[in-house]
Amino acid sequence: MSTVARVKRISIPQIRNRKGAEPLVCLTAYTTQMARRLDPHVDLLLVGDSLGMVVYGFDSTLPVTLDMMIAHGAAVMRGAEHACVIVDLPFGSYQESPEQAFRSAARIMAETGASGVKLEGGAEMAETVRFLTQRCIPVCGHVGLMPQAVNVAGGFKATGRSEEEARQVMRDAQAVAEAGAFAVVLEGTLEPVAAEITAALPVPTIGIGASAACDGQILVSEDVFGLFSDFTPRFVKRYADLGGQISQAAEAYAQDVRARRFPGREHCFLPKGASRTGS
Ligand SMILES: Nc1nc(=O)c2c([nH]1)NC[C@@H]1CN(c3ccc(C(=O)N[C@@H](CCC(=O)O)C(=O)O)cc3)CN21
Ligand SMILES: CC(C)C(=O)C(=O)O
Ligand SMILES: [Mg+2]
């Protein structure tokens, strides 16, 4: 046995056991470098299919492929040692049948080393959630505003406004939890509905635009750091303006190159004995 002290990764049972305890801190990550920065501060990193919109510039998450999710999932795993890493199943990779979902999820597990997968859907996906969890694949549910359903919903719209919608989201959350999901993401859901669902479920709810009543919170990291501005959902709080800093840095670099201020002697490979400071 190794005597070297190593950081042990947060496990799926540890995430599940945080129900009603300290809030679960979650963010998305798509790259190794971002994962490295976030890893010490979060409980869970989600490799979200939102990368289709944030990284690839698509106007929905529908064009995202399983191969893209696997490439980014593996990249995030190379940068994260402490956080539990979960990968989204992309549109078209799981809706057809539990068997299709298993084949896609098994590729994610084997080829990325992530601890579990997330899939969108409620009661209609409960059978699939059970099929995966009974076959060694931890599943996180995702109900309420489901971005892969954008064409059915007619936009990215909050849900739970009518009594009927509220009952639907509750039914969906309970169905996936009952089917074995270790946690359920609640997106774009009115506060009283999110509070009721959180009280009813035996597993943690992770909210995005679903109020402080949830057992945890998640946001898209690029929204949090000011690196994405195509749109800003009202549930986003921005903690930095890295996009503005990149613009300023690019402008400064361009000015330096045009004025021949960059590169300086310290950036050059010089013959032996040449002075770096003199001219
Ligand atoms: N950068 C980013 N952040 C996200 O949170 C996110 C993605 N991308 N891509 C996938 C989905 C899409 N999401 C979205 C996108 C837009 C709104 C939005 O504009 N909502 C409006 C209300 C729209 C309505 O109700 O008609 C808002 O004011 O929040 C919400 C969630 C959440 N997800
Ligand atoms: C925002 C979260 C919940 C997500 O599904 C994603 O980033 O794709
Ligand atoms: Mg997603």
Side-chain angles (χ1 to χ4, degrees):
M1 199 177 98
S2 168
T3 52
V4 182
R6 296 201 64 240
V7 192
K8 198 152 188 296
R9 190 185 298 281
I10 296 176
S11 69
I12 297 289
Q14 285 176 313
I15 297 288
R16 190 197 295 114
N17 289 337
R18 289 279 288 278
K19 176 71 188 177
E22 232 204 316
L24 283 165
V25 180
C26 317
L27 281 171
T28 61
Y30 314 131
T31 64
T32 304
Q33 295 306 321
M34 186 66 90
R36 272 196 192 129
R37 293 276 173 193
L38 306 182
D39 186 61
H41 308 289
V42 304
D43 299 306
L44 185 148
L45 286 173
L46 171 71
V47 185
D49 60 350
S50 52
L51 66 79
M53 301 173 77
V54 175
V55 176
Y56 291 89
F58 297 128
D59 64 2
S60 80
T61 58
L62 303 197
V64 175
T65 66
L66 185 57
D67 286 339
M68 287 162 69
M69 295 311 299
I70 288 170
H72 287 275
V76 167
M77 282 299 294
R78 289 191 285 273
E81 57 174 17
H82 151 264
C84 182
V85 177
I86 299 299
V87 179
D88 264 355
L89 279 165
F91 178 69
S93 76
Y94 65 96
Q95 288 93 343
E96 190 181 334
S97 64
E99 289 80 3
Q100 186 209 22
F102 180 83
R103 281 192 296 274
S104 300
R107 272 197 67 197
I108 289 177
M109 301 298 285
E111 296 176 38
T112 71
S115 299
V117 300
K118 179 166 77 59
L119 58 83
E120 296 179 15
E124 77 290 353
M125 277 298 144
E127 186 194 350
T128 295
V129 172
R130 183 168 285 111
F131 194 88
L132 299 191
T133 53
Q134 287 181 340
R135 288 164 178 76
C136 316
I137 301 179
V139 178
C140 180
H142 181 158
V143 303
L145 190 170
M146 294 179 277
Q148 291 177 19
V150 63
N151 292 300
V152 177
F156 299 116
K157 291 178 179 157
T159 183
R161 261 180 223 291
S162 66
E163 198 48 47
E164 156 105 37
E165 269 182 8
R167 265 198 300 276
Q168 178 71 47
V169 189
M170 172 63 89
R171 256 201 310 273
D172 285 343
Q174 278 182 315
V176 294
E178 210 269 318
F182 68 86
V184 178
V185 166
L186 261 186
E187 178 163 357
T189 303
L190 264 61
E191 176 175 56
V193 182
E196 233 187 290
I197 291 172
T198 300
L201 293 202
V203 297
T205 57
I206 302 173
I208 170 164
S211 88
C214 296
D215 296 299
Q217 297 294 326
I218 188 162
L219 284 173
V220 169
S221 289
E222 281 72 5
D223 293 338
V224 173
F225 306 133
L227 284 167
F228 181 81
S229 53
D230 291 9
F231 55 83
T232 305
R234 64 163 288 126
F235 51 72
V236 169
K237 179 173 176 185
R238 209 208 253 184
Y239 286 81
D241 178 26
L242 301 190
Q245 284 192 259
I246 290 173
S247 296
Q248 281 181 13
E251 187 186 4
Y253 167 76
Q255 286 173 351
D256 277 2
V257 170
R258 291 190 181 110
R260 301 196 186 280
R261 276 191 302 265
F262 175 85
R265 288 180 71 78
E266 69 273 31
H267 306 115
C268 294
F269 298 100
L270 301 169
K272 278 201 176 67
S275 163
R276 285 201 175 273
T277 48
S279 50

